Amino acid sequence: MGKIIAIANQKGGVGKTTTAINLASSLAILDKKTLLIDMDPQANASGGLGITEYEESIYDVMVGETELSSIIVPTNESNLMLAPSTIDLVGAEIELIDFDEREFVLSKAVKTIKDDYDYIILDCQPSLGIITVNALAAADSVIIPIQCEVFALQGLNKLTETIELVKDSLNPKLTIEGILLSMFDQRLRMANMVVDEIKNSGNYKVFDTIIHRNTKVAEAPMVGQSVIHYDVKSTGAQNYLSLASEFIANQN
């Protein structure tokens, strides 16, 4: 039975979608059958894997017009499948208001295909609306990417409070897989201070792997590839492969 991991942070620009794409790709490279579900109306995870043309999306699933299995498409990467998104997903926030058990729409959908995958990655939008709540209600755990910058902890307490609220009221099994430090530039004194502060705070479980700033990571989505397939020898690719290995080891 597959494990469902939400990549979430209501703060934008923290490497959330980059993490979702490259963790999913790294898990696939490591022989894990992986599904990436794009839960962001911006559809950057879909475009970042070169998937730009499709008839149905996660929006159609969320509003009850189709089954999740019918929207899943193959990517150019072995072992990695995608459930694409579309800007229409913005409207689902309003359309779901009148749904019974509206927080569990995604959870019910994912249960129908969960056994087909080792891991299912949910790329959440940068908000704490009903779509993100659906993702948290469906997930087994959450990875929270944050920048190695001065405002890194801004909003983190709010997000963890929301996760605890979802756990208490909707999803008792939900846990925080870990905080992922991203966009790290070791030349910057502030970046090193942020890493030390978060790792030494004792308040959060933090991944040992740190994602460094790397131009290859930024270039890869422009050609519709994960950085692992774009340049496997790059620092960014090696960081994400390390993250995937650490993640898998943590499951044992």
Side-chain angles (χ1 to χ4, degrees):
M1 183 177 290
K3 182 169 185 176
I4 305 169
I5 307 99
I7 313 296
N9 193 325
Q10 81 276 19
K11 191 173 184 292
V14 298
K16 177 183 56 59
T17 296
T18 300
T19 297
I21 291 172
N22 291 302
L23 175 59
S25 178
S26 296
L27 290 170
I29 285 284
L30 295 175
D31 243 5
K32 303 298 181 181
K33 192 171 182 183
T34 306
L35 170 65
L36 175 58
I37 302 181
D38 190 348
M39 297 297 296
D40 190 335
Q42 297 179 76
N44 288 334
S46 305
L49 285 171
I51 309 297
T52 57
E53 296 183 8
Y54 36 88
E55 293 184 3
E56 296 178 304
S57 72
I58 194 67
Y59 164 78
D60 299 287
V61 176
M62 294 301 293
V63 298
E65 293 183 358
T66 193
E67 299 294 322
L68 180 55
S69 58
S70 71
I71 74 162
I72 295 172
V73 296
T75 70
N76 293 322
E77 303 187 13
S78 179
N79 289 325
L80 180 57
M81 304 291 282
L82 172 75
S85 186
T86 174
I87 191 63
D88 292 340
L89 191 60
V90 171
E93 291 275 353
I94 298 173
E95 294 177 62
L96 285 171
I97 290 175
D98 295 327
F99 277 47
D100 292 331
E101 297 189 315
R102 59 183 178 270
E103 298 91 352
F104 298 103
V105 174
L106 182 63
S107 181
K108 292 175 182 177
V110 171
K111 283 179 181 177
T112 64
I113 53 88
K114 187 174 181 179
D115 291 343
D116 297 333
Y117 299 92
D118 295 307
Y119 295 110
I120 299 171
I121 306 293
L122 309 177
D123 180 31
C124 300
Q125 60 182 317
S127 76
L128 296 178
I130 189 63
I131 299 299
T132 300
V133 169
N134 259 265
L136 295 176
D140 296 304
S141 64
V142 186
I143 292 175
I144 305 173
I146 62 174
Q147 289 174 281
C148 296
E149 295 183 355
V150 65
F151 297 117
L153 296 177
Q154 188 177 51
L156 185 57
N157 288 339
K158 178 63 176 177
L159 178 58
T160 54
E161 287 173 7
T162 299
I163 291 170
E164 285 302 314
L165 182 62
V166 171
K167 181 175 182 178
D168 291 341
S169 59
L170 302 173
N171 184 3
K173 71 179 184 298
L174 185 64
T175 62
I176 295 178
E177 193 80 38
I179 306 296
L180 176 65
L181 295 161
S182 68
M183 303 182 185
F184 176 64
D185 187 339
Q186 62 185 0
R187 298 168 300 178
L188 300 179
R189 181 169 173 268
M190 180 57 67
N192 287 280
M193 289 174 63
V194 169
V195 169
D196 290 341
E197 178 183 359
I198 294 174
K199 286 202 167 188
N200 295 329
S201 71
N203 295 327
Y204 306 104
K205 181 180 177 182
V206 184
F207 284 100
D208 290 332
T209 301
I210 297 176
I211 309 300
H212 293 68
R213 283 194 180 275
N214 182 251
T215 56
K216 300 298 183 182
V217 172
E219 292 171 5
M222 298 173 66
V223 294
Q225 294 180 355
S226 68
V227 71
I228 290 84
H229 281 256
Y230 181 65
D231 187 350
V232 71
K233 294 182 179 179
S234 67
T235 298
Q238 292 302 307
N239 287 167
Y240 280 110
L241 287 167
S242 174
L243 174 64
S245 296
E246 182 181 354
F247 170 79
I248 292 170
N250 288 345
Q251 309 311 305
N252 300 325

